[in-house]
Amino acid sequence: MLNTSRILIPLIAIFIISSLPIMSINAELPPLKQLKQGHHVDVVCADGFQLVLKQSNGSPKCIKLSSVEKLIQRGWAIHVLTYSDENNNSEIFTMGKYDVQTDTVNYSESNSGYLARPVSDESFPGVIMIHEWWGLNNNIKDMAKKLASHGYVVLAVDLYGGHVATTSEEARQLVTSFDKDNGVQNMDSAISYLDDNYSPESIGSIGWCFGGGQSLNLALNNPSLNATVIYYGSLVTDSDSLSVIHWPVLGIFAELDKGITTNTVHDFENSLNQLGIQNEIIIYPGVDHAFANPSGLNYAPEESQDAWQKTLEFLDSNLK
């Protein structure tokens, strides 16, 4: 675990194949030592290589860029991004016209989440919000409040049973112990809670990174949704699997993302089009994975604001 002013945040679980070429900018100095000495993550590896963390022990390695996406899909390691704790939230994600009430609610016997809803007697659509890979933290809660202020009952689920990672090692342990089937049951319970308590006429889902992949996973396993939003989450491109979706999909992606490449995004879009599934797929040029997270060093405010506006327009169009 590194203790520097800029903490490494791994975002996507992948494995590292031991036979792959490994190279650092200083071949005699291992990446871990370089990082401990304060070298920035961007200069630890030579050109054409990317820093990842070994799945088994979190050890940093430099891997060929051409291999990263395949390894992500196979689940062999953890992709590394830099992180800054200076800005946990962002004012560019503005509040809507409604005041918001927030509560911690038990949406099943074993699961609790963060509920944000407008202070109003009106009826509102529901949204299941799914956290990034380090858990239901303040950044996600803030986004739940801001979305709710635009006229939604938002339930931010907790897929980690109350655990929130504050280090890359903690996050690695949480995401590798995550069970996909249990995650679907968890999110299904959240939908049932909204149905039982607020009777929304429509329900959508939204998630970022790990949560983006789970937003799609929910769509593949629960036919009651009316809209799905995916921010740079792991994708399924198989047409047979995607054929169960019968509602619009919004996908937000980054041109420079080495784990979810533009080729995979285009394959996903083509499959949706072939199936006649209404979709809006946006790839922002010149930005990298997690560009919409204000707590990350890949944060791109202009693109984030545009993506948020498109998200609000998409949800308004398909849920209201």
Side-chain angles (χ1 to χ4, degrees), residues 25-312:
I25 201 166
N26 183 343
E28 296 181 356
L29 193 61
L32 180 58
K33 288 188 177 180
Q34 292 187 55
L35 294 169
K36 287 184 175 181
Q37 290 180 5
H39 293 281
H40 193 272
V41 60
D42 292 338
V43 300
V44 168
C45 298
D47 290 343
F49 288 75
Q50 182 167 339
L51 191 69
V52 296
L53 299 185
K54 193 173 181 181
Q55 174 79 355
S56 59
N57 60 12
S59 176
K61 302 292 181 182
C62 295
I63 299 298
K64 277 188 174 181
L65 289 175
S66 59
S67 301
V68 171
E69 183 181 22
K70 292 180 180 178
L71 299 181
I72 287 176
Q73 293 174 347
R74 296 173 185 174
W76 257 85
I78 298 171
H79 185 139
V80 177
L81 284 177
T82 51
Y83 177 83
S84 171
D85 59 4
E86 295 177 358
N87 299 302
N88 289 325
N89 300 301
S90 174
E91 293 305 316
I92 70 167
F93 302 117
T94 57
M95 297 291 287
K97 68 178 183 179
Y98 293 99
D99 292 331
V100 176
Q101 176 180 335
T102 63
D103 300 283
T104 298
V105 299
N106 295 317
Y107 55 91
S108 74
E109 291 184 2
S110 56
N111 298 304
S112 63
Y114 184 81
L115 183 75
R117 58 187 178 89
V119 180
S120 172
D121 293 331
E122 301 174 55
S123 178
F124 299 97
V127 175
I128 303 301
M129 182 173 285
I130 310 159
H131 56 75
E132 295 167 311
W133 86 306
W134 43 89
L136 181 53
N137 58 15
N138 288 335
N139 181 56
I140 297 300
K141 292 178 180 179
D142 183 73
M143 294 305 295
K145 287 189 291 186
K146 287 178 176 174
L147 182 55
S149 73
H150 291 276
Y152 297 92
V153 179
V154 182
L155 179 50
V157 298
D158 184 355
L159 301 185
Y160 287 167
H163 298 287
V164 176
T166 58
T167 69
S168 59
E169 173 61 17
E170 291 173 350
R172 182 186 67 82
Q173 292 177 0
L174 288 173
V175 79
T176 54
S177 63
F178 171 73
D179 181 88
K180 184 181 291 188
D181 291 336
N182 289 340
V184 170
Q185 294 176 11
N186 183 311
M187 293 182 286
D188 286 345
S189 295
I191 291 177
S192 297
Y193 178 90
L194 291 183
D195 283 335
D196 293 344
N197 290 276
Y198 298 97
S199 301
E201 293 186 1
S202 57
I203 294 180
S205 67
I206 181 173
W208 295 261
C209 301
F210 165 79
Q214 294 309 310
S215 184
L216 176 57
N217 194 36
L218 178 61
L220 299 178
N221 289 277
N222 191 310
S224 65
L225 292 175
N226 303 100
T228 296
V229 181
I230 305 164
Y231 272 74
Y232 34 77
S234 297
L235 296 175
V236 173
T237 59
D238 175 67
S239 295
D240 289 340
S241 299
L242 293 172
S243 64
V244 299
I245 299 175
H246 301 290
W247 53 85
V249 174
L250 172 63
I252 305 291
F253 301 96
E255 180 189 28
L256 304 182
D257 196 328
K258 306 301 188 303
I260 305 164
T261 65
T262 56
N263 287 338
T264 297
V265 175
H266 289 315
D267 289 343
F268 176 65
E269 182 179 21
N270 289 337
S271 293
L272 294 178
N273 289 336
Q274 290 171 7
L275 292 165
I277 300 171
Q278 180 182 339
N279 67 87
E280 183 178 3
I281 304 299
I282 304 166
I283 301 175
Y284 284 94
V287 298
D288 210 333
H289 190 87
F291 72 87
N293 185 341
S295 63
L297 294 183
N298 280 349
Y299 180 48
E302 183 176 343
E303 290 81 0
S304 297
Q305 189 171 32
D306 185 75
W308 182 240
Q309 184 59 40
K310 285 181 168 58
T311 298
L312 293 176

